[in-house]
Amino acid sequence: MSLASLRPSGDYRATYRADTTIMPTRNSRIALWLGIAILCLCPLVLGRWELSLLINIGILGIAALGLNILVGFTGQISIGHAAFFGVGAFASAWLHEAFHIPVWACIPLAGVITAIVGLVFGAPAARLKGLYLAIATLAAQFILEDFFARARWFTGGVAGRITEPLTLFGVAFDREESY
């Protein structure tokens, strides 16, 4: 016996709008709100190590979503995706330290810098297909890793860079609980 809330086998969607619906059923929407509520309660229940682990899962989940857009929608493969994620992270810290731009404004600016770096590698690779495109992204990974290790002015060297935490409306996100 199938439940009315689950999509039965052979239930095909006929419109684009129906096909792109993220939460198609009532139970999926309830599960989303329940998950958000549980995540909001985590700082009250979990310890610092568990919160740190959840924060890392969230950050890496963002990187995985970006890779999913590339691989899922275009069918292309990117072996050097992590390097571009690193460019965004280091650019955000560098903009804040070098130009004293507020942290909340550095994040979208870092996205612009990452897009420019992506264009530097992407323009020559635009004609490549298949395995050669994967090799070009792997080359970008190694080139940017070397840049990260050598450009102390940008990354802080192999040890990284420490900056002040994000502050919104007077609340500093400086601990796992506030993050």
Side-chain angles (χ1 to χ4, degrees), residues 86-137:
V87 168
F90 284 127
S92 177
W94 173 69
L95 286 169
H96 177 68
E97 290 293 315
F99 302 106
H100 305 292
I101 299 172
V103 177
W104 58 266
C106 290
I107 295 170
L109 289 174
V112 171
I113 291 172
T114 304
I116 292 169
V117 171
L119 284 173
V120 168
F121 285 98
R127 294 179 169 222
L128 300 175
K129 294 179 181 174
L131 180 62
Y132 298 107
L133 179 64
I135 292 170
T137 61

Short mmCIF file of all heavy atoms in Angstrom, two decimals, residues 86-137:
data_model
loop_
_atom_site.label_atom_id
_atom_site.label_comp_id
_atom_site.label_asym_id
_atom_site.label_seq_id
_atom_site.Cartn_x
_atom_site.Cartn_y
_atom_site.Cartn_z
N GLY A 86 38.96 27.67 -2.78
CA GLY A 86 40.03 28.28 -1.99
C GLY A 86 40.29 29.72 -2.39
O GLY A 86 40.57 30.57 -1.54
N VAL A 87 40.22 30.02 -3.68
CA VAL A 87 40.41 31.41 -4.14
C VAL A 87 39.36 32.30 -3.48
O VAL A 87 39.69 33.39 -2.99
CB VAL A 87 40.32 31.50 -5.68
CG1 VAL A 87 40.23 32.95 -6.13
CG2 VAL A 87 41.51 30.84 -6.33
N GLY A 88 38.13 31.84 -3.43
CA GLY A 88 37.08 32.64 -2.80
C GLY A 88 37.33 32.85 -1.32
O GLY A 88 37.15 33.96 -0.80
N ALA A 89 37.75 31.82 -0.63
CA ALA A 89 38.01 31.93 0.81
C ALA A 89 39.18 32.87 1.10
O ALA A 89 39.08 33.76 1.96
CB ALA A 89 38.28 30.55 1.39
N PHE A 90 40.28 32.68 0.37
CA PHE A 90 41.44 33.55 0.60
C PHE A 90 41.17 34.98 0.15
O PHE A 90 41.64 35.93 0.78
CB PHE A 90 42.67 33.00 -0.13
CG PHE A 90 43.29 31.81 0.54
CD1 PHE A 90 43.52 30.64 -0.17
CD2 PHE A 90 43.66 31.85 1.86
CE1 PHE A 90 44.10 29.54 0.44
CE2 PHE A 90 44.24 30.76 2.49
CZ PHE A 90 44.46 29.60 1.77
N ALA A 91 40.42 35.16 -0.93
CA ALA A 91 40.13 36.51 -1.41
C ALA A 91 39.29 37.28 -0.40
O ALA A 91 39.51 38.48 -0.19
CB ALA A 91 39.41 36.44 -2.76
N SER A 92 38.35 36.61 0.23
CA SER A 92 37.53 37.27 1.24
C SER A 92 38.39 37.77 2.41
O SER A 92 38.26 38.91 2.84
CB SER A 92 36.47 36.30 1.74
OG SER A 92 35.70 36.88 2.75
N ALA A 93 39.29 36.92 2.89
CA ALA A 93 40.17 37.32 4.00
C ALA A 93 41.14 38.41 3.56
O ALA A 93 41.40 39.36 4.29
CB ALA A 93 40.94 36.11 4.51
N TRP A 94 41.67 38.30 2.34
CA TRP A 94 42.63 39.30 1.84
C TRP A 94 41.97 40.66 1.68
O TRP A 94 42.56 41.68 2.06
CB TRP A 94 43.22 38.80 0.52
CG TRP A 94 44.09 39.81 -0.15
CD1 TRP A 94 45.31 40.26 0.26
CD2 TRP A 94 43.80 40.52 -1.35
NE1 TRP A 94 45.80 41.18 -0.61
CE2 TRP A 94 44.88 41.37 -1.61
CE3 TRP A 94 42.73 40.51 -2.24
CZ2 TRP A 94 44.92 42.20 -2.73
CZ3 TRP A 94 42.76 41.34 -3.34
CH2 TRP A 94 43.85 42.16 -3.58
N LEU A 95 40.78 40.71 1.12
CA LEU A 95 40.08 41.99 0.94
C LEU A 95 39.83 42.67 2.28
O LEU A 95 39.98 43.89 2.41
CB LEU A 95 38.75 41.76 0.22
CG LEU A 95 38.82 41.45 -1.26
CD1 LEU A 95 37.46 41.00 -1.77
CD2 LEU A 95 39.32 42.65 -2.04
N HIS A 96 39.47 41.89 3.28
CA HIS A 96 39.21 42.47 4.60
C HIS A 96 40.49 43.00 5.24
O HIS A 96 40.50 44.10 5.79
CB HIS A 96 38.55 41.44 5.51
CG HIS A 96 38.31 41.95 6.89
ND1 HIS A 96 37.39 42.94 7.16
CD2 HIS A 96 38.89 41.64 8.07
CE1 HIS A 96 37.42 43.21 8.44
NE2 HIS A 96 38.31 42.43 9.02
N GLU A 97 41.56 42.22 5.17
CA GLU A 97 42.81 42.63 5.81
C GLU A 97 43.50 43.77 5.07
O GLU A 97 44.01 44.69 5.69
CB GLU A 97 43.76 41.43 5.92
CG GLU A 97 43.31 40.39 6.91
CD GLU A 97 43.35 40.90 8.34
OE1 GLU A 97 44.35 41.52 8.74
OE2 GLU A 97 42.38 40.65 9.06
N ALA A 98 43.54 43.71 3.75
CA ALA A 98 44.29 44.69 2.98
C ALA A 98 43.54 46.01 2.81
O ALA A 98 44.16 47.08 2.83
CB ALA A 98 44.64 44.11 1.61
N PHE A 99 42.24 45.96 2.62
CA PHE A 99 41.47 47.16 2.29
C PHE A 99 40.46 47.54 3.35
O PHE A 99 39.72 48.51 3.18
CB PHE A 99 40.76 46.96 0.95
CG PHE A 99 41.71 46.66 -0.18
CD1 PHE A 99 41.79 45.39 -0.69
CD2 PHE A 99 42.55 47.64 -0.70
CE1 PHE A 99 42.66 45.09 -1.72
CE2 PHE A 99 43.42 47.36 -1.72
CZ PHE A 99 43.49 46.09 -2.24
N HIS A 100 40.39 46.78 4.45
CA HIS A 100 39.49 47.05 5.58
C HIS A 100 38.03 47.17 5.14
O HIS A 100 37.29 48.01 5.63
CB HIS A 100 39.94 48.29 6.35
CG HIS A 100 41.36 48.22 6.80
ND1 HIS A 100 41.78 47.33 7.77
CD2 HIS A 100 42.48 48.87 6.40
CE1 HIS A 100 43.08 47.46 7.95
NE2 HIS A 100 43.53 48.38 7.13
N ILE A 101 37.66 46.33 4.19
CA ILE A 101 36.27 46.24 3.75
C ILE A 101 35.53 45.38 4.77
O ILE A 101 36.07 44.39 5.25
CB ILE A 101 36.19 45.61 2.34
CG1 ILE A 101 36.96 46.49 1.35
CG2 ILE A 101 34.76 45.40 1.90
CD1 ILE A 101 37.10 45.87 -0.02
N PRO A 102 34.29 45.72 5.12
CA PRO A 102 33.55 44.87 6.07
C PRO A 102 33.43 43.44 5.55
O PRO A 102 33.32 43.21 4.35
CB PRO A 102 32.18 45.53 6.15
CG PRO A 102 32.37 46.92 5.66
CD PRO A 102 33.52 46.90 4.72
N VAL A 103 33.44 42.50 6.48
CA VAL A 103 33.43 41.08 6.12
C VAL A 103 32.21 40.73 5.28
O VAL A 103 32.30 39.99 4.31
CB VAL A 103 33.52 40.20 7.38
CG1 VAL A 103 33.43 38.73 7.03
CG2 VAL A 103 34.79 40.49 8.14
N TRP A 104 31.04 41.27 5.63
CA TRP A 104 29.82 40.94 4.89
C TRP A 104 29.90 41.41 3.44
O TRP A 104 29.24 40.83 2.58
CB TRP A 104 28.59 41.52 5.59
CG TRP A 104 28.63 43.00 5.76
CD1 TRP A 104 29.07 43.68 6.85
CD2 TRP A 104 28.21 43.99 4.82
NE1 TRP A 104 28.97 45.04 6.64
CE2 TRP A 104 28.44 45.25 5.40
CE3 TRP A 104 27.67 43.93 3.54
CZ2 TRP A 104 28.15 46.44 4.75
CZ3 TRP A 104 27.37 45.12 2.89
CH2 TRP A 104 27.61 46.36 3.50
N ALA A 105 30.69 42.45 3.15
CA ALA A 105 30.85 42.91 1.76
C ALA A 105 31.96 42.16 1.05
O ALA A 105 31.98 42.09 -0.18
CB ALA A 105 31.13 44.41 1.75
N CYS A 106 32.90 41.59 1.81
CA CYS A 106 34.01 40.85 1.20
C CYS A 106 33.55 39.55 0.55
O CYS A 106 34.15 39.10 -0.43
CB CYS A 106 35.08 40.54 2.24
SG CYS A 106 35.98 41.97 2.80
N ILE A 107 32.51 38.94 1.07
CA ILE A 107 32.07 37.64 0.56
C ILE A 107 31.60 37.74 -0.89
O ILE A 107 32.07 36.98 -1.74
CB ILE A 107 31.02 37.02 1.50
CG1 ILE A 107 31.68 36.72 2.85
CG2 ILE A 107 30.40 35.77 0.90
CD1 ILE A 107 30.72 36.33 3.94
N PRO A 108 30.69 38.68 -1.26
CA PRO A 108 30.33 38.78 -2.68
C PRO A 108 31.48 39.27 -3.56
O PRO A 108 31.61 38.84 -4.71
CB PRO A 108 29.15 39.74 -2.72
CG PRO A 108 29.02 40.32 -1.37
CD PRO A 108 29.85 39.53 -0.42
N LEU A 109 32.34 40.14 -3.02
CA LEU A 109 33.50 40.59 -3.80
C LEU A 109 34.46 39.44 -4.06
O LEU A 109 35.07 39.36 -5.13
CB LEU A 109 34.22 41.73 -3.07
CG LEU A 109 33.49 43.06 -3.03
CD1 LEU A 109 34.24 44.06 -2.16
CD2 LEU A 109 33.30 43.60 -4.43
N ALA A 110 34.60 38.54 -3.10
CA ALA A 110 35.44 37.36 -3.30
C ALA A 110 34.85 36.48 -4.39
O ALA A 110 35.59 35.85 -5.15
CB ALA A 110 35.57 36.58 -2.00
N GLY A 111 33.53 36.43 -4.49
CA GLY A 111 32.89 35.69 -5.58
C GLY A 111 33.23 36.28 -6.93
O GLY A 111 33.45 35.54 -7.91
N VAL A 112 33.30 37.61 -7.01
CA VAL A 112 33.68 38.27 -8.27
C VAL A 112 35.13 37.95 -8.62
O VAL A 112 35.45 37.65 -9.78
CB VAL A 112 33.45 39.80 -8.16
CG1 VAL A 112 34.03 40.53 -9.36
CG2 VAL A 112 31.97 40.10 -8.01
N ILE A 113 36.01 38.00 -7.63
CA ILE A 113 37.42 37.67 -7.87
C ILE A 113 37.55 36.22 -8.32
O ILE A 113 38.31 35.91 -9.26
CB ILE A 113 38.27 37.95 -6.60
CG1 ILE A 113 38.34 39.44 -6.35
CG2 ILE A 113 39.66 37.33 -6.72
CD1 ILE A 113 38.99 39.82 -5.04
N THR A 114 36.82 35.32 -7.70
CA THR A 114 36.86 33.92 -8.10
C THR A 114 36.34 33.73 -9.52
O THR A 114 36.89 32.93 -10.28
CB THR A 114 36.03 33.06 -7.11
OG1 THR A 114 36.53 33.29 -5.79
CG2 THR A 114 36.13 31.60 -7.45
N ALA A 115 35.32 34.48 -9.89
CA ALA A 115 34.80 34.40 -11.27
C ALA A 115 35.85 34.88 -12.27
O ALA A 115 36.01 34.28 -13.34
CB ALA A 115 33.53 35.23 -11.40
N ILE A 116 36.60 35.91 -11.92
CA ILE A 116 37.66 36.40 -12.81
C ILE A 116 38.76 35.37 -12.95
O ILE A 116 39.24 35.10 -14.06
CB ILE A 116 38.20 37.76 -12.30
CG1 ILE A 116 37.12 38.84 -12.43
CG2 ILE A 116 39.47 38.16 -13.04
CD1 ILE A 116 37.44 40.13 -11.72
N VAL A 117 39.17 34.76 -11.83
CA VAL A 117 40.18 33.70 -11.90
C VAL A 117 39.66 32.52 -12.71
O VAL A 117 40.38 31.92 -13.51
CB VAL A 117 40.61 33.26 -10.47
CG1 VAL A 117 41.49 32.02 -10.51
CG2 VAL A 117 41.32 34.40 -9.76
N GLY A 118 38.38 32.20 -12.53
CA GLY A 118 37.77 31.13 -13.32
C GLY A 118 37.78 31.45 -14.81
O GLY A 118 37.99 30.56 -15.64
N LEU A 119 37.58 32.72 -15.16
CA LEU A 119 37.63 33.11 -16.57
C LEU A 119 39.05 33.01 -17.12
O LEU A 119 39.24 32.66 -18.29
CB LEU A 119 37.11 34.54 -16.74
CG LEU A 119 35.60 34.69 -16.68
CD1 LEU A 119 35.22 36.17 -16.70
CD2 LEU A 119 34.95 33.96 -17.84
N VAL A 120 40.04 33.31 -16.29
CA VAL A 120 41.44 33.18 -16.74
C VAL A 120 41.74 31.74 -17.13
O VAL A 120 42.40 31.48 -18.14
CB VAL A 120 42.41 33.68 -15.64
CG1 VAL A 120 43.84 33.29 -15.95
CG2 VAL A 120 42.29 35.19 -15.48
N PHE A 121 41.24 30.80 -16.34
CA PHE A 121 41.47 29.40 -16.67
C PHE A 121 40.44 28.87 -17.66
O PHE A 121 40.72 27.98 -18.45
CB PHE A 121 41.43 28.53 -15.40
CG PHE A 121 42.65 28.67 -14.56
CD1 PHE A 121 42.67 29.50 -13.46
CD2 PHE A 121 43.80 27.96 -14.87
CE1 PHE A 121 43.80 29.64 -12.68
CE2 PHE A 121 44.94 28.08 -14.10
CZ PHE A 121 44.94 28.92 -13.01
N GLY A 122 39.24 29.42 -17.63
CA GLY A 122 38.16 28.91 -18.46
C GLY A 122 38.23 29.33 -19.91
O GLY A 122 37.82 28.58 -20.79
N ALA A 123 38.73 30.54 -20.18
CA ALA A 123 38.78 31.01 -21.57
C ALA A 123 39.65 30.11 -22.45
O ALA A 123 39.20 29.69 -23.53
CB ALA A 123 39.25 32.46 -21.61
N PRO A 124 40.86 29.75 -22.03
CA PRO A 124 41.63 28.84 -22.88
C PRO A 124 41.05 27.42 -22.92
O PRO A 124 41.23 26.71 -23.90
CB PRO A 124 43.02 28.80 -22.23
CG PRO A 124 43.08 29.93 -21.30
CD PRO A 124 41.68 30.26 -20.93
N ALA A 125 40.35 27.03 -21.87
CA ALA A 125 39.81 25.67 -21.80
C ALA A 125 38.44 25.54 -22.45
O ALA A 125 37.88 24.45 -22.49
CB ALA A 125 39.72 25.22 -20.34
N ALA A 126 37.90 26.65 -22.99
CA ALA A 126 36.54 26.63 -23.54
C ALA A 126 36.39 25.68 -24.72
O ALA A 126 35.32 25.16 -24.96
CB ALA A 126 36.12 28.03 -23.94
N ARG A 127 37.44 25.46 -25.46
CA ARG A 127 37.37 24.58 -26.63
C ARG A 127 37.64 23.11 -26.29
O ARG A 127 37.50 22.25 -27.14
CB ARG A 127 38.36 25.02 -27.69
CG ARG A 127 38.01 26.37 -28.26
CD ARG A 127 39.05 26.76 -29.28
NE ARG A 127 38.57 27.92 -30.00
CZ ARG A 127 38.70 28.08 -31.29
NH1 ARG A 127 39.31 27.15 -32.00
NH2 ARG A 127 38.26 29.15 -31.87
N LEU A 128 38.05 22.85 -25.08
CA LEU A 128 38.38 21.48 -24.70
C LEU A 128 37.13 20.69 -24.35
O LEU A 128 36.15 21.23 -23.87
CB LEU A 128 39.34 21.48 -23.51
CG LEU A 128 40.67 22.20 -23.72
CD1 LEU A 128 41.45 22.22 -22.43
CD2 LEU A 128 41.46 21.55 -24.82
N LYS A 129 37.18 19.39 -24.59
CA LYS A 129 36.05 18.53 -24.28
C LYS A 129 36.55 17.25 -23.62
O LYS A 129 37.69 16.86 -23.78
CB LYS A 129 35.30 18.16 -25.56
CG LYS A 129 34.63 19.33 -26.21
CD LYS A 129 33.91 18.92 -27.47
CE LYS A 129 33.30 20.14 -28.09
NZ LYS A 129 32.71 19.88 -29.37
N GLY A 130 35.63 16.64 -22.88
CA GLY A 130 35.91 15.32 -22.32
C GLY A 130 37.09 15.31 -21.36
O GLY A 130 37.20 16.13 -20.45
N LEU A 131 37.98 14.38 -21.60
CA LEU A 131 39.12 14.16 -20.72
C LEU A 131 40.05 15.37 -20.68
O LEU A 131 40.63 15.68 -19.64
CB LEU A 131 39.89 12.92 -21.17
CG LEU A 131 41.11 12.54 -20.35
CD1 LEU A 131 40.69 12.22 -18.92
CD2 LEU A 131 41.84 11.37 -20.97
N TYR A 132 40.17 16.10 -21.79
CA TYR A 132 41.07 17.24 -21.82
C TYR A 132 40.58 18.38 -20.93
O TYR A 132 41.38 19.09 -20.34
CB TYR A 132 41.26 17.71 -23.26
CG TYR A 132 41.90 16.67 -24.11
CD1 TYR A 132 41.18 15.97 -25.06
CD2 TYR A 132 43.24 16.33 -23.93
CE1 TYR A 132 41.76 14.99 -25.83
CE2 TYR A 132 43.84 15.34 -24.69
CZ TYR A 132 43.09 14.68 -25.64
OH TYR A 132 43.67 13.70 -26.39
N LEU A 133 39.28 18.54 -20.83
CA LEU A 133 38.73 19.54 -19.91
C LEU A 133 39.05 19.16 -18.47
O LEU A 133 39.42 20.01 -17.67
CB LEU A 133 37.23 19.70 -20.11
CG LEU A 133 36.56 20.70 -19.17
CD1 LEU A 133 37.09 22.10 -19.44
CD2 LEU A 133 35.06 20.65 -19.33
N ALA A 134 38.92 17.89 -18.14
CA ALA A 134 39.26 17.44 -16.79
C ALA A 134 40.74 17.68 -16.49
O ALA A 134 41.10 18.08 -15.38
CB ALA A 134 38.92 15.96 -16.64
N ILE A 135 41.60 17.45 -17.48
CA ILE A 135 43.03 17.68 -17.28
C ILE A 135 43.32 19.17 -17.09
O ILE A 135 44.16 19.55 -16.27
CB ILE A 135 43.83 17.10 -18.46
CG1 ILE A 135 43.73 15.57 -18.43
CG2 ILE A 135 45.28 17.54 -18.43
CD1 ILE A 135 44.28 14.89 -19.67
N ALA A 136 42.59 20.04 -17.81
CA ALA A 136 42.78 21.48 -17.65
C ALA A 136 42.36 21.93 -16.25
O ALA A 136 43.03 22.78 -15.64
CB ALA A 136 41.98 22.24 -18.71
N THR A 137 41.28 21.38 -15.72
CA THR A 137 40.88 21.75 -14.36
C THR A 137 41.85 21.21 -13.33
O THR A 137 42.09 21.85 -12.30
CB THR A 137 39.45 21.26 -14.05
OG1 THR A 137 39.40 19.84 -14.14
CG2 THR A 137 38.45 21.87 -14.99
#
